[in-house]
């Protein structure tokens, strides 16, 4: 299953990339459908004449469909699957460096190693580029976004998160919220607020929604929009009263009134 971490920019420790990447969908199968010749001839001989006159077209169409199907299956077996395994193997060292950085051991240098590579293995930047189209390549964009964010590379962080795609609603919300954090750290509060709201509205749940509503409210206060901030804080109080964010929201409501 795809993982996330409730401490901020940090995906959960215990999940390896092969577990995480199972949740991220990369390829949907498209089935080719043959056209149907629906005109009914008055006699059997006319039908036979039609087949005789168009047999090359019919055979050619069937051949194209067959070759496309065979080609897709061959790609999946001999190219896509091995490439995914190779990408996951490359990312193992980068993940280790990232996890050590999260744990606070020489964080800046380890985040940089996770981005640029070490021990003869690619970093997240290279993996995202070399293995684009694989689950691991997609996930590398997510990791890179947080590594950039934690090392003050806000423009690069926004770009990496922008390349990350996921059907997992929580991961998707966290990525949008992290883009908001990058804009906020880059002194772009309007853009930060826009992305915090996208993150809060991406999926209504007790973890990401109050988290980003709170950030949206604080950012609205910075922008001088007290009425807007009050709306977000009140939403937390009324609908997410059991969340950690609700513990401090009364004071913020007072500031917004």
């Amino acid at each position: 299953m795809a993982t996330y971490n409730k401490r901020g920019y940090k995906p959960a420790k215990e999940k390896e990339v092969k577990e995480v990447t199972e949740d991220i969908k990369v390829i949907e199968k498209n089935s080719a459908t043959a056209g149907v010749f629906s005109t009914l001839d008055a006699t059997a001989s006319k039908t036979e004449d039609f087949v005789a006159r168009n047999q090359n077209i019919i055979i050619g169409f069937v051949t194209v469909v067959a070759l496309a199907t065979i080609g897709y299956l061959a790609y999946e077996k001999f190219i896509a699957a091995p490439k995914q395994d190779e990408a996951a193997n490359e990312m193992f060292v980068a993940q280790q460096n990232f996890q050590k950085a999260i744990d606070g051991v020489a964080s800046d240098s380890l985040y940089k190693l996770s981005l640029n590579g070490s021990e003869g293995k690619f970093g997240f930047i290279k993996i995202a580029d070399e293995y684009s189209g694989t689950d691991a390549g997609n996930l590398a964009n997510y990791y890179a976004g947080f590594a950039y964010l934690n090392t003050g590379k806000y423009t690069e962080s926004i770009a990496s998160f922008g390349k990350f795609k996921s059907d997992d609603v929580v991961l998707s919300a966290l990525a949008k919220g992290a883009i908001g954090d990058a804009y906020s750290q880059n002194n772009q509060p309007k853009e930060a607020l826009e992305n915090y709201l996208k993150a809060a509205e991406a999926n209504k749940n007790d973890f990401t929604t109050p988290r980003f509503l709170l950030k949206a409210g604080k950012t609205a206060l910075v922008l001088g929009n007290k009425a807007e901030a009050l709306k977000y804080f009140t939403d937390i109080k009324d609908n997410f009263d059991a969340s950690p964010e609700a513990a401090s929201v009364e004071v913020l409501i007072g500031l917004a009134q």
Side-chain angles (χ1 to χ4, degrees):
M1 295 293 296
T3 60
Y4 58 89
N5 189 299
K6 297 186 179 181
R7 294 183 294 161
Y9 315 129
K10 308 164 185 175
K13 302 179 182 179
E14 67 272 21
K15 301 294 183 182
E16 293 296 334
V17 63
K18 289 185 180 179
E19 295 172 301
V20 177
T21 57
E22 288 175 359
D23 282 343
I24 305 177
K25 298 179 182 178
V26 180
I27 302 174
E28 293 182 356
K29 296 183 180 177
N30 294 312
S31 59
T33 58
V36 178
F37 296 100
S38 58
T39 304
L40 298 177
D41 292 317
T43 65
S45 62
K46 288 184 180 180
T47 300
E48 291 170 359
D49 288 342
F50 174 83
V51 173
R53 285 185 283 104
N54 295 278
Q55 60 181 338
N56 289 337
I57 297 174
I58 295 171
I59 292 171
F61 179 79
V62 172
T63 301
V64 168
V65 173
L67 288 175
T69 302
I70 293 170
Y72 174 80
L73 293 175
Y75 174 83
E76 283 288 288
K77 182 176 181 180
F78 298 111
I79 298 177
K83 193 174 183 181
Q84 169 63 26
D85 291 341
E86 183 181 332
N89 180 59
E90 282 287 345
M91 194 151 69
F92 180 72
V93 172
Q95 281 188 302
Q96 283 190 320
N97 287 326
F98 187 89
Q99 189 59 58
K100 290 176 183 176
I102 287 175
D103 292 338
V105 182
S107 294
D108 283 353
S109 61
L110 285 169
Y111 278 128
K112 290 175 183 177
L113 286 177
S114 75
L115 284 166
N116 299 313
S118 63
E119 301 178 33
K121 295 292 185 180
F122 290 162
F124 296 132
I125 298 172
K126 192 75 171 178
I127 293 167
D129 181 50
E130 292 288 325
Y131 299 99
S132 61
T134 68
D135 294 343
N138 184 46
L139 188 64
N141 287 311
Y142 184 77
Y143 277 113
F146 281 116
Y148 278 131
L149 183 58
N150 279 284
T151 52
K153 302 290 186 180
Y154 305 125
T155 300
E156 292 87 345
S157 176
I158 293 166
S160 290
F161 281 123
K163 296 174 185 176
F164 174 70
K165 308 298 179 185
S166 178
D167 291 331
D168 185 298
V169 291
V170 174
L171 278 181
S172 181
L174 288 174
K176 290 181 176 68
I179 291 175
D181 289 340
Y183 276 123
S184 179
Q185 291 296 322
N186 206 38
N187 296 315
Q188 295 176 267
K190 289 183 180 179
E191 292 81 358
L193 177 58
E194 178 182 342
N195 281 278
Y196 287 145
L197 292 176
K198 287 180 180 178
E201 295 166 0
N203 176 258
K204 297 292 184 180
N205 63 76
D206 293 335
F207 170 47
T208 61
T209 304
R211 174 190 181 90
F212 294 118
L213 281 175
L214 185 66
K215 291 191 175 190
K218 289 180 177 179
T219 305
L221 281 179
V222 170
L223 290 167
N225 299 329
K226 288 190 173 183
E228 192 174 352
L230 181 61
K231 179 175 67 174
Y232 305 140
F233 295 144
T234 303
D235 193 352
I236 296 172
K237 178 183 177 181
D238 293 344
N239 300 306
F240 303 96
D241 58 316
S243 67
E245 290 76 15
S248 59
V249 79
E250 287 286 358
V251 175
L252 293 169
I253 287 175
L255 290 174
Q257 288 176 331

